[in-house]
Amino acid sequence: MKVLVAVKRVVDYNVKVRPNGDGSDVEIANAKMSMNPFDEIAVEEAVRMKEAGTATEVVAISLGEAACQDVVRTALAMGMDRGVLVETDARLEPLTVAKLLAAIVKREQFDLVILGKQAIDDDSNQTGQMLAALLGWPQGTFASHVVVDDDRVQVTRETDTGSQTLSFKLPGVVTSDLRLNEPRYVKLPNIMKAKKKHLEKITPLELDVDISTHLETIAVAEPTQRSGGIKVSDAKELVDKLRNEARVI
């Protein structure tokens, strides 16, 4: 089984992001960048599949500017076999990313694609679902447990009302949730070894995918400051304020 894992380079989750001077985007100059945490969990799951003998090859892919090769190298240091970078300076939308991933999947005949359920920069939570639709594959989203048995995958997924277990036949798409696993600590010797692993660089043009944008960012601003709460003396006063001031009942 060949497994493809998509990894995205985002602002590190410990960094407090702010709008830039003209409010056109988020200020990322000199900000610490790292692999999207949900994608890191996806990499760990793929590496575990390789170590268990379930997967024959695990490949990491990132899409974006040249600096994105850093997160691919991190994935290689975690244990991925090889990496792919679809290099472009264009701003990629979720659908465009899904189309590029679909092209790679078809070119190399992967059996399973694992992605983080969402990226912490845009929180779109769309790429995995779009990829499954483009490929016509079954999907298991928000996975907290994954079991591969021959040509079937069993996914336990988290929902608003509890957990749901489903099973589908390969090939398929899985998106990882936080409780799927705990990513391993990358040791220095593995980081050095990762520098010698193969990293292929290609362009969207080579994949025959149109990367023109369809969405426009109008403005970026910090959330409005919330006003302080108040205390009420009894339920009657609470109901009165909800009805006459907040007008929610």
Side-chain angles (χ1 to χ4, degrees):
M1 178 179 71
K2 290 180 64 176
V3 181
L4 179 68
V5 180
V7 294
K8 186 176 184 180
R9 183 175 181 263
V10 299
V11 176
D12 190 86
Y13 67 92
N14 287 312
V15 176
K16 181 177 174 60
V17 295
R18 300 182 183 278
N20 57 17
D22 59 6
S24 61
D25 207 338
V26 171
E27 181 60 64
I28 61 173
N30 301 317
K32 180 183 178 183
M33 308 295 284
S34 61
M35 186 190 302
N36 177 47
F38 290 100
D39 297 340
E40 193 174 7
I41 292 169
V43 170
E44 175 66 26
E45 193 66 18
V47 172
R48 291 185 185 187
M49 289 179 181
K50 178 66 183 293
E51 291 172 343
T54 305
T56 56
E57 183 182 31
V58 288
V59 180
I61 181 171
S62 189
L63 307 93
E65 57 189 14
C68 291
Q69 64 182 299
D70 292 346
V71 294
V72 180
R73 292 292 182 191
T74 300
L76 295 175
M78 290 176 67
M80 301 296 280
D81 295 320
R82 59 185 175 90
V84 179
L85 173 63
V86 181
E87 190 171 350
T88 175
D89 291 328
R91 185 165 190 156
L92 300 176
E93 299 169 358
L95 180 57
T96 307
V97 173
K99 288 179 178 179
L100 290 167
L101 291 176
I104 289 289
V105 169
K106 292 175 181 177
R107 187 184 75 163
E108 298 201 28
Q109 298 297 306
F110 286 97
D111 303 295
L112 179 65
V113 182
I114 310 178
L115 312 87
K117 71 171 185 177
Q118 64 195 74
I120 62 171
D121 53 358
D122 58 18
D123 279 333
S124 292
N125 181 20
Q126 296 174 339
T127 304
Q129 293 88 329
M130 288 176 170
L131 175 61
L134 290 171
L135 294 171
W137 286 6
Q139 58 184 296
T141 56
F142 318 132
S144 59
H145 187 62
V146 177
V147 177
V148 180
D149 185 12
D150 293 329
D151 64 342
R152 295 198 69 84
V153 179
Q154 181 175 294
V155 176
T156 300
R157 58 190 303 270
E158 300 190 353
T159 69
D160 291 337
T161 56
S163 62
Q164 175 189 52
T165 300
L166 54 84
S167 176
F168 59 81
K169 188 174 182 180
L170 290 171
V173 176
V174 171
T175 68
S176 61
D177 211 336
L178 285 174
R179 278 164 286 279
L180 180 57
N181 60 53
E182 182 71 29
R184 67 193 64 194
Y185 176 76
V186 181
K187 298 178 180 178
L188 181 59
N190 292 335
I191 294 175
M192 302 306 294
K193 291 177 184 177
K195 293 181 179 181
K196 298 181 180 180
K197 290 186 178 181
H198 180 61
L199 195 162
E200 178 187 9
K201 296 181 181 180
I202 57 177
T203 65
L205 184 62
E206 293 177 68
L207 297 174
D208 194 27
V209 175
D210 179 16
I211 61 171
S212 56
T213 58
H214 302 86
L215 302 174
E216 179 185 358
T217 301
I218 305 300
V220 177
E222 291 194 33
T224 305
Q225 289 284 345
R226 286 188 176 187
S227 57
I230 61 171
K231 291 183 179 181
V232 294
S233 58
D234 53 33
K236 182 179 179 180
E237 184 183 356
L238 172 62
V239 172
D240 178 68
K241 287 185 178 296
L242 290 176
R243 178 178 289 125
N244 300 312
E245 293 184 18
R247 299 184 183 279
V248 296
I249 60 174

